[in-house]
Every structure is written in structure tokens, then in C-alpha cells.
Amino acid sequence: MDIAFLLPLIILIGFMFVMTRSAKKKQQQAMQMRDQMQPGTGIRTIGGMYARVKEVGDDTVLVELAPGVHARFAKNAVGAVLEDAEYDRIVHGAEFHSDDAPVVPDDASTLTGTPGSAGAAADEKIDLGKDGQARGAEDTEPEDETKRDGDSGPK
């Protein structure tokens, strides 16, 4: 037997060993995570549903999807066990504010520094006529009677 023939075979077997080892490690981590579930813990299912754990059984978990709405899931359907702060942020929209975080304004008028520009821009309406040019209240002209729908001008 030639070494050139055995080398690819050895590399393939080594690659398969590494892949199965990492898959087993991920499965063990998932089992440990699912075993850490307790009543009151927030979870995300593999389908993307967020819920709170009410009861933990051997193979199943009873969760509360909404107040008064309960469902029983297989433990394998739990994709992630969430911390309380993360669960509240996702489900209830509780914002986490840090003193170091920058304050982002709601509109761009506060960024320009021109006082009173927010109200003026919101109240002004722009009329885009048939020709596509912007017309404000001060520069409206009466339309030419020769121009009608579909006409490109006088004939």
C-alpha cells in the first residue's frame, strides 16, 4: 500500500471524528441548559416562541405563553433559557438604559440646531403636481388649459 492512498483516508476519518465530537458537545450543553430550567424562568422555543416556565417534568415542560394561556412542550423544543432581564426586554419591551449610552433624538430637526424647524417642517405640505415639480403654497401657478391628462402640450 502506498502512503499517498492512506493519507486522504486518515484525514477523512479525523475530520469525521472532530465533527461528531463537536456535535456531541453541543448536545450536552443543550441538555445542561434544559436541566437548569426552573419555574419562573423565561425561555425561547426552537420555533421562536417566548414563554415562562410553570412546571418542569421529566420529558416535558409546561409554559405560560400569555397570562392564563398554558401549553405543554417537549424539553427538546426549548431552544434557549433566557435571563430575566433579557426575557423582559424582549417580551415586554423593557428598555435597558445606560448612563453611558448616547441619547438618540426622535427626529432630525434637533440635530440641525435650527429652533422651531421641527414644527414648520411637519406642518408644511408639498404638492407634487403632474409634472413632478414640488410646489409650495407661495409658488402655485394656475395650470395651463392646453395641458390635460395625456397631452404633452399644445398641438
Side-chain angles (χ1 to χ4, degrees):
M1 290 244 171
D2 190 17
I3 189 87
F5 177 73
L6 289 178
L7 187 61
L9 188 61
I10 292 171
I11 291 174
L12 181 64
I13 291 172
F15 182 74
M16 289 174 53
F17 175 75
V18 169
M19 293 299 288
T20 57
R21 183 170 167 85
S22 67
K24 281 185 179 182
K25 189 181 244 186
K26 286 182 182 180
Q27 284 179 344
Q28 287 176 347
Q29 287 176 346
M31 282 180 45
Q32 287 176 348
M33 176 213 36
R34 290 179 185 126
D35 289 340
Q36 292 174 354
M37 284 188 301
Q38 299 173 359
T41 306
I43 63 165
R44 182 183 68 237
T45 66
I46 58 174
M49 193 175 297
Y50 293 92
R52 280 237 188 246
V53 175
K54 287 296 179 182
E55 293 178 10
V56 179
D58 292 335
D59 295 329
T60 62
V61 59
L62 180 68
V63 297
E64 185 175 35
L65 303 171
V69 180
H70 296 89
R72 189 169 301 277
F73 285 95
K75 275 189 175 180
N76 291 340
V78 175
V81 177
L82 307 173
E83 295 178 7
D84 288 336
E86 183 179 6
Y87 178 80
D88 289 338
R89 180 185 60 82
I90 293 170
V91 174
H92 302 295
E95 294 290 328
F96 174 74
H97 292 291
S98 172
D99 293 337
D100 298 335
V103 177
V104 180
D106 291 337
D107 59 352
S109 64
T110 57
L111 296 175
T112 60
T114 56
S117 61
D123 294 337
E124 182 180 328
K125 293 183 181 178
I126 297 175
D127 178 27
L128 293 176
K130 292 180 184 176
D131 57 356
Q133 295 180 353
R135 296 180 186 169
E138 65 278 349
D139 55 48
T140 57
E141 299 176 10
E143 287 190 27
D144 188 10
E145 291 183 18
T146 59
K147 290 188 179 181
R148 293 191 176 91
D149 291 340
D151 289 342
S152 60
K155 294 182 183 178

